[in-house]
Amino acid sequence: MTASTGEIVVDLSALRHNLDVLTARVAPAHVMVVVKNDAYGHGLVDVARAAVDSGISWIGALDVPTALTLREAGITPPTRIFAWLLDPADDPGAAISASVDLGISTVDQLQSIAASPSSSTARVHLKIDTGLHRNGATPEDWPDLVSLARSLEDRGVVEIVGVWTHIAEADDHEDSLSIARFNEAVAVARDLGVEAPLRHLAASAAGFARADARFDLVRFGAFAYGLPPGDGPSAHSMGLRQVMTMRAPVSSIEVLPDGRRASIDLGFADGLSTLAPGRVGVALHGRRHPLVSPLEVDRAWIGLDDDADVAVGDLVTLWGDGSTGEQTLQEWGDATETMSEELVVRLSPRIPRRFV
Ligand SMILES: *Cc1c(COP(=O)(O)O)cnc(C)c1O
């Protein structure tokens, strides 16, 4: 397979713009920028550095290896890095020594922190399940988790930095129930001696829309990259800019009995969806042309009408912020029955990222 000639352009000024918009919107709550899945396919370290440069003090890493990668890349305290998907194979000592904030759901996780030989105090955020059932202590287990953390805090083993949860953000009424359950859990923790923890509950959708979901910190993933959910308001209408543009040069032009077609050297091995041909258009010289079947492993085809003036080497924009006639990732997601986030996290790491 030839090296892909496509490229992903990551506009860090658009990222900074989005972070400014989100920071202003949720203030006085703070913004955590979530960089899981290689910063939603945009490039982990470059995105995290740009976020820190623009004043962000919280990075959400998902797992401990990602958090340690960021520390090794020079993202040092006082920038906080939060990891909440803990693998029993992780070395808690390494995370604690690197001052990684840990999301904790179980008594077992606290005990493995207590058993680790690290001499530093572990920074922990205790997680309550408020209905999503994607880890987090149940309300029944919550007092035991909090009490153990409090006694470890008295011994200097942990510092209870935060209390948090994750909610569905698919239904306002469900979210309201989760917010009420979260407030109850915070009250229980306070009664057990956890005095002023950072409280965080919301990701992009609820954090953007609901003041009562913001608490002290909002964990923004999708919106930081200008990726709103499908079938809803566009990024533009929310004052956000899509950070990623994908481009590739025309690699050949063929004349067929029923018209011409142009190829680009990006296919399903690069992460393009086989549902895309016939459903999306790409931009060439500011005009929209359909992607047509077949989508090959390393090649896609673009239908050309008779008056299209196209030559090998001309740049095709698959998706971008829409300013040069291309579709946005939200439109691609809607057309191919998926979310824009899925389109970006599926992209092959082989495609070069260019940061501008
Ligand atoms: C992925 C994730 C987020 C960010 O979600 P978006 O909807 O992309 O903003 C926030 N919190 C947790 C726990 C997550 O896993």
Side-chain angles (χ1 to χ4, degrees), residues 34 36 40 62 84 127 134 164 166 169 202-205 219-223 341:
V34 177
K36 66 190 179 197
Y40 292 54
L62 181 69
W84 62 91
K127 184 173 186 190
R134 202 194 286 167
W164 72 294
H166 192 44
E169 308 196 354
S204 290
R219 304 182 305 268
F220 280 111
F223 283 19
E341 282 137 276

Side-chain angles (χ1 to χ4, degrees), residues 253-318:
I253 295 172
E254 287 186 355
V255 180
L256 302 175
D258 56 347
R260 291 179 306 151
R261 61 179 189 168
S263 66
I264 51 173
D265 292 345
L266 286 172
F268 60 78
D270 299 291
L272 293 187
S273 165
T274 51
L275 289 179
R279 299 190 184 207
V280 300
V282 298
L284 244 170
H285 301 305
R287 276 183 58 199
R288 195 77 62 80
H289 298 270
L291 211 61
V292 295
S293 292
L295 182 70
E296 299 171 28
V297 62
D298 56 359
R299 190 159 58 169
W301 292 99
I302 298 155
L304 300 177
D305 47 30
D306 290 341
D307 53 353
D309 180 15
V310 177
V312 169
D314 287 356
L315 266 190
V316 175
T317 304
L318 286 93

Side-chain angles (χ1 to χ4, degrees), residues 32 34 36 60-63 82-86 101-103 135 164:
M32 177 186 290
V34 177
K36 66 190 179 197
L62 181 69
D63 54 25
F82 181 51
W84 62 91
L85 192 75
L86 305 185
D101 285 48
L102 299 171
N135 62 51
W164 72 294

